[in-house]
Every structure is written in structure tokens, then in C-alpha cells.
Amino acid sequence: MRIGILTGGGDCPALNAVIRAAVKTAAGYGWDVVGIEEGFDGLVHCRTRPLGTANVSGILHLGGTILGTTNAANPFAYPTVIAGGETVERDISDTVMANFRKMELDALIAIGGDGTLGIAQKLYEKGMPVVGIPKTIDNDIGGTVITFGFDTAVNTGRDALDKLHTTAESHRRVIVVEVMGRNAGWIAVNSGIAGGADCILIPEIPYDLEKVAESVFARERQGKHFSIVVVAEGAFPKGGFITHRDPKQAGREQRLGGVGEQVAEAITALTGKETRVVVLGHLQRGGPPTTFDRVLGTRFGAAAARLVRKGEYGRMVALIPPDVESVLLKDVLAKRKTVPLDSDLLLSARDIGISFGD
Ligand code: F6P
């Protein structure tokens, strides 16, 4: 067997742990492994490198991905500059299929989020033997209880909140912390609870700024003259819209961001309190993975190689406790996993007095 491995979409802690486990497991079967560089772009331009056990030695604790990645190389909507300088999206998936055969690959392990896994499913439908591994700090992929990288991102968020508490208290300020997560509030809720946030705004619960201000006033009445507000980048006001950083570009998803500033300005206007904004941004994507993510990444990587060995393609490895199992990729892609409104996670947060701005 000769298998390819690629990492697509945004990077994420523990990608290297996954690559390492898949390569070591494959090597144990006596297979050749080819690393495909920069996601599907490596299949478009045939950029590869051999991946033996020596190449994955010493990478377990490293953030990022040794293979490189991109979120602008969807072969079904590939950004292409045409005459006049305009960038348009073109379907070049047939080229990718041909390159896969040219590289004499028997199977592909695609490590990525919903974008990468969606491409993997479409290539599978075109005949490519593909196995998926769910990666994202956003934790918004269905079929698996958790994605690797999420735990590390939440820890980064929690660490930031721990640090911001003291300065917020010293200056009697409201500090608004904008976290990532796209259209899911998992990072905001978990880092907010762990970091003692007073108010958490998530895409699943459109917020009312008057209610956010009320949570600040409630703390003032308790003699707490500072507040920490965590805002998910995809949160939006009741009757309002998600905030985007810039217009949509061909071949890539539109970037979210900026809602933290809006919420902070409104809090100052409504409460008269001084506010500051911290946008955690890509800090949440970097750094050494937590123990949990290293273990989960290792389990996912090894399980993916076992799926290939069994010839179970069109599937994604998934944590369905207590074990890592597999699910059909097409089932996973049908619906984004968001924070359930009736979850005990939200209920418990509300029970201890956290406001969701509703
Ligand atoms: O999906 C992971 C993620 O980090 C999101 O939370 C965020 O919106 C996005 O990627 C940022 O992507 P980029 O790498 O394009 O800035």
C-alpha cells in the first residue's frame, strides 16, 4: 500500500500528533506514506514528500502542521485568476483525481474541518478511496463528541481570562474577549465557564445589548466593579447580523470578526463603564497541544490507518466514548454541531449566574 496524508483548512493544535500516529501505524503495516503539502493544493500541483517514521520523530508536542495547510485550495471551487485580473472559482477536481492516480496512491487520509471533509466526500464520490479525520478548534463537526485541537484552544481562552481578571478588577473595567469558533459557541462557553466569565455571547443565542448591560449592573450592585464578557466571533444581536472582517473572496470562506468591538462600544454607551477589547484570534490555534489533544490525536491517526487497512472508505474517525469508532462522512457533513440550547452545559452556566445576553 502507498497512502497519502494531507492537512487542510486552518491549522490546529495536535495536527502533528495525528500525522505521527498515522505514519507510525502505517509503517507498522509496511506501507509507504506520502505527505501531501499544503492541503489539497499539494494534490493540484503534485507537491509531496516521503513520510517515514524518521520524519515524524519529535513532532508530537509541536503546534501547526509539518505538511503545511491552506484554506484556499478547494479543487471544486479553486481560486483562479482570469484575464483582467479577476479571481474566479473553477472546478479542477478531475485534475486532482488524475494526479492522485499519477502519484500511484492507494488511499488518502484527509485531516481537516468541515471544508476539507466536504471536499474529501466529493472526491470519494468521484472514486477516490478516502478516510477523514475531524480537526478543528471550533468543535463544530458532528458525529464525534469532540474534535482534536478544541481542548487546547479552550485552555488558551481560559488562560487569557485568568490573566484579564486581575487587570479588569484593578481598573474597574469591563473586558470583552472575542474568541474564535465560527458559527458555534463551544470555545466561548467552555473557556468562559472555566475562566469565570460573567457574560457569554454565542451564535446559538442572539443577544440583547440591554441584557448584557444589565449583567454588568447586576455585578455593580454586588460590589463587583468589573466584568468579563466573552463573545464568540459568530455571535450576533437579536434581529441583527454576523460581523465579517472583510468581503468574501473567491475560493475561501468569509472571515468573521469585529463583534467584540461592537459589544464593548455598546457596553460603554449603556453603562458608562470603561471597556477594553481583547481579540484572542490565532493564539487559539497555536502552541503545544494539551495532553487530551495529544492522546485524542494519536487515537484518531492510528484509527484512520486501521480504517484504510480494512478498506472502509468514505468514513471519518470519531470519538464515540469510550472508543474511537467511525461514521459515514456524508452523515457528518449534513449538519454543523452547535451548542444545544437544552444542554446541561448552558443550564449549569445559567444556574451559576452567567448571562447569555438573552
Ligand atoms: O475554523 C477554525 C478557525 O480558526 C475559526 O475559528 C476562524 O473563524 C477561522 O478558522 C480563521 O481562519 P483564518 O486562518 O483564515 O484566519
Side-chain angles (χ1 to χ4, degrees), residues 81-99:
V81 182
I82 55 168
E86 193 196 346
T87 304
V88 297
E89 295 178 354
R90 277 180 46 215
D91 182 347
I92 56 161
S93 54
D94 286 340
T95 306
V96 163
M97 293 300 291
N99 288 346

Side-chain angles (χ1 to χ4, degrees), residues 161-181:
L161 296 192
D162 286 350
K163 289 172 177 158
L164 292 169
H165 258 94
T166 47
T167 175
E169 183 164 19
S170 304
H171 289 266
R172 297 190 163 206
R173 285 173 174 156
V174 177
I175 296 197
V176 176
V177 186
E178 183 181 305
V179 299
M180 283 186 166

Side-chain angles (χ1 to χ4, degrees), residues 71 136-138 180-182 233 255 282 285:
N71 42 20
T136 171
I137 63 165
D138 304 337
M180 283 186 166
R182 290 206 73 81
E233 62 180 358
R255 291 177 67 207
H282 294 80
R285 293 244 297 261

